[in-house]
Amino acid sequence: METKENKNNLASIATTNNLIKIARRHFSTYGFEKTSLEAIVKEVNMTRGALYHHFKNKKELFLAVLSQVQNEVGENVEKEAMTSEDVWEQLILGCIGFVEAATLESNKRILLIDSLNVVEWEDWRKMDNENSVTLLKEQLEVVKESGVLVDLDTTLIAHMISGALNDLSLHLAEIKMIRKKEMYEYINHLLKGLKVNENES
């Protein structure tokens, strides 16, 4: 039997999720600085004081939104990678999946622009390492175990690739998005020096 406490917890979770959903739209549209908590609570039909029971300030609300965006980007990386059974193709497709998700209209301002300005550098690095870099390192380990990757530190390689993808995403967010086939060619050429059989000749 559902208790009153359980009902209250479920209601609180639903309210929190709704706040994140609406805040995400505001942050994506207006940016962190121009997003108004008053506008968000009005849309949610709650008071600003009630919002503080869920998030202590606008930054904490932004961090919750950013975490959701990063999780979705990670899911897209895995989804794209799994469209191939070849481990090297998975690496390339996963990189493409990152860029495509990061540059979505609903994500790019939050992930690529405001996150660097709102989140302290050490915290941003920690979040990036726990998401993008970790996913890359895991795939690189799989590629290395299959004998396709050169014998180098996968952590260093992961950071190197992640930095390139972040900057590529920033650039593509400012211009017209290139076609997937074209992106494949660029990323393939970037990574091919790390492939064992590319260095054997």
Side-chain angles (χ1 to χ4, degrees):
M1 184 175 178
E2 194 172 46
T3 65
K4 183 177 179 181
E5 184 179 357
N6 286 338
K7 286 182 179 179
N8 289 338
N9 288 337
L10 289 172
S12 178
I13 291 170
T15 301
T16 299
N17 290 338
N18 196 33
L19 278 168
I20 292 172
K21 176 184 176 181
I22 292 171
R24 179 172 178 174
R25 189 169 70 249
H26 282 254
F27 286 133
S28 176
T29 304
Y30 308 111
F32 180 80
E33 288 299 327
K34 293 183 179 180
T35 288
S36 162
L37 287 181
E38 284 77 10
I40 292 173
V41 296
K42 183 178 180 181
E43 190 170 340
V44 182
N45 194 27
M46 68 190 303
T47 66
R48 184 162 178 164
L51 178 143
Y52 292 139
H53 287 292
H54 301 272
F55 302 98
K56 64 182 181 181
N57 51 39
K58 185 165 73 167
K59 179 180 176 180
E60 189 172 282
L61 179 57
F62 177 82
L63 289 174
V65 170
L66 175 60
S67 178
Q68 185 182 78
V69 170
Q70 288 180 317
N71 287 336
E72 289 178 10
V73 170
E75 288 170 1
N76 196 62
V77 168
E78 294 182 339
K79 176 186 172 184
E80 289 297 318
M82 290 302 102
T83 58
S84 174
E85 294 183 358
D86 179 84
V87 293
W88 184 257
E89 282 288 303
Q90 288 173 356
L91 177 61
I92 298 173
L93 294 172
C95 290
I96 292 172
F98 172 85
V99 176
E100 287 184 326
T103 53
L104 285 174
E105 198 63 36
S106 58
N107 294 341
K108 64 182 183 181
R109 180 175 290 194
I110 295 166
L111 183 66
L112 302 175
I113 301 171
D114 281 346
S115 69
L116 295 169
N117 298 318
V118 177
V119 185
E120 286 77 9
W121 175 243
E122 293 82 4
D123 293 333
W124 186 91
R125 288 279 295 153
K126 184 174 182 291
M127 293 178 78
D128 191 52
N129 287 341
E130 290 174 351
N131 291 278
S132 302
V133 176
T134 295
L135 282 173
L136 262 172
K137 188 174 185 297
E138 288 173 354
Q139 183 60 32
L140 287 166
E141 291 287 354
V142 172
V143 177
K144 192 172 186 178
E145 288 173 10
S146 71
V148 182
L149 188 73
V150 292
D151 188 20
L152 293 172
D153 189 328
T154 52
T155 299
L156 293 181
I157 298 174
H159 280 280
M160 181 175 67
I161 297 172
S162 179
L165 295 179
N166 282 334
D167 201 59
L168 175 61
S169 298
L170 276 167
H171 178 66
L172 292 179
E174 296 173 349
I175 65 172
K176 185 178 179 180
M177 189 68 177
I178 61 176
R179 292 175 301 165
K180 192 168 187 173
K181 183 178 179 181
E182 190 176 356
M183 196 190 310
Y184 181 97
E185 292 175 359
Y186 278 100
I187 292 177
N188 182 43
H189 279 289
L190 173 70
L191 300 180
K192 70 192 313 185
L194 299 169
K195 194 174 183 183
V196 166
N197 57 9
E198 293 290 346
N199 297 312
E200 288 178 344
S201 56

